[in-house]
Amino acid sequence: MDEINNLIILYDYYGNLLTSSQQNYFVEYYFNNLSLSEISENLNVSRNAVHKQLRVACDKLLEYEEKLKFLDKTNKLRALVLKEADEKLRNSMLEILDN
């Protein structure tokens, strides 16, 4: 479950860097909870093609994070912000991080 959640979070960061078909497969599988067979039927492609494109998309998301580390940096910043004693300042910084 953690792996799926991590991929979904990475999609929020890097999804626009995927091709439109990879985005479509990812959304159908991870957000709309369709099976590989359902996606293949809907898009008139083989189940294997769907599986391959999903794997490529997931690998790309992981590669982007490995190189750019946006999620890692955001998590580190969030941890620092949460230590801020001034509640108003802390909330303002969290709002920036969440947008």
Side-chain angles (χ1 to χ4, degrees):
M1 188 66 155
D2 285 339
E3 182 180 343
I4 292 171
N5 288 336
N6 190 48
L7 286 171
I8 290 171
I9 293 168
L10 290 177
Y11 183 83
D12 288 341
Y13 279 87
Y14 307 113
N16 289 334
L17 299 175
L18 300 175
T19 66
S20 60
S21 65
Q22 290 168 342
Q23 289 176 28
N24 190 31
Y25 292 134
F26 192 93
V27 168
E28 292 294 336
Y29 189 76
Y30 288 102
F31 291 101
N32 297 335
N33 294 314
L34 295 182
S35 69
L36 297 177
S37 297
E38 290 170 321
I39 298 168
S40 69
E41 287 175 21
N42 292 346
L43 300 175
N44 199 29
V45 296
S46 71
R47 184 184 178 284
N48 191 46
V50 174
H51 182 265
K52 182 179 178 183
Q53 286 302 309
L54 275 172
R55 186 73 259 146
V56 169
C58 292
D59 288 346
K60 282 186 176 185
L61 293 174
L62 293 168
E63 180 183 349
Y64 294 143
E65 176 58 19
E66 184 180 315
K67 290 180 179 180
L68 301 172
K69 302 199 182 305
F70 288 150
L71 177 59
D72 182 53
K73 291 173 185 175
T74 299
N75 289 337
K76 288 177 181 176
L77 280 171
R78 184 177 308 283
L80 288 172
V81 166
L82 290 172
K83 292 179 182 178
E84 173 58 48
D86 182 331
E87 184 178 351
K88 186 175 179 182
L89 177 59
R90 182 176 60 241
N91 290 337
S92 294
M93 290 188 292
L94 286 172
E95 185 177 322
I96 291 169
L97 282 172
D98 291 336
N99 288 330

